Amino acid sequence: MLVTVPVYLSDRIADTKVEIQIRTVAMDFWASLEHKIHYKFEGNAPEHIKDELVECAQMVSELDARMLALNEEIQNIERKALEEY
C-alpha cells in the first residue's frame, strides 16, 4: 500500500510517499528467508536450497488454491441458505 505522509524538515514540510506492507506470518518468514539467501549467497544459493524453495512455493500455491475453493464453497452454501430463507 502506498501512502503519503508529511515529513517535517527544518525549513518545510515535505509530503513523502511510503510503502506499507501488510504480511501474514508466512509471508514475512518467506521474505526474511529470501533476504538471508541473497545476503549469505549473494543471490547464488546452492541448488538444493533453490529446489527446496521451488517445492515450498508449489506447496503454498496449492494450499492457497484449496483454501480459496473451500471459501467459495462456504459462500455458495451461505448464499443458497439465504435464498431458501
Side-chain angles (χ1 to χ4, degrees):
M1 174 178 7
L2 292 175
V3 297
T4 303
V5 297
V7 174
Y8 296 88
L9 305 172
S10 60
D11 61 337
R12 62 182 162 61
I13 298 173
D15 286 335
T16 306
K17 289 185 180 179
V18 297
E19 178 183 5
I20 299 172
Q21 294 184 359
I22 301 171
R23 299 178 176 173
T24 64
V25 172
M27 292 165 80
D28 189 57
F29 181 73
W30 189 277
S32 297
L33 189 58
E34 259 190 337
H35 177 76
K36 285 179 188 175
I37 288 169
H38 286 288
Y39 175 74
K40 296 277 185 193
F41 304 112
E42 296 178 355
N44 194 16
E47 204 60 37
H48 72 280
I49 291 178
K50 291 179 185 177
D51 292 343
E52 190 74 22
L53 284 172
V54 168
E55 188 177 331
C56 288
Q58 291 167 339
M59 290 168 46
V60 168
S61 179
E62 182 183 332
L63 177 61
D64 194 43
R66 290 175 68 179
M67 296 299 286
L68 179 62
L70 281 170
N71 186 53
E72 288 172 348
E73 185 176 350
I74 291 167
Q75 287 179 342
N76 286 336
I77 291 169
E78 289 174 338
R79 227 177 274 123
K80 286 178 184 175
L82 285 174
E83 290 171 1
E84 291 174 1
Y85 181 68

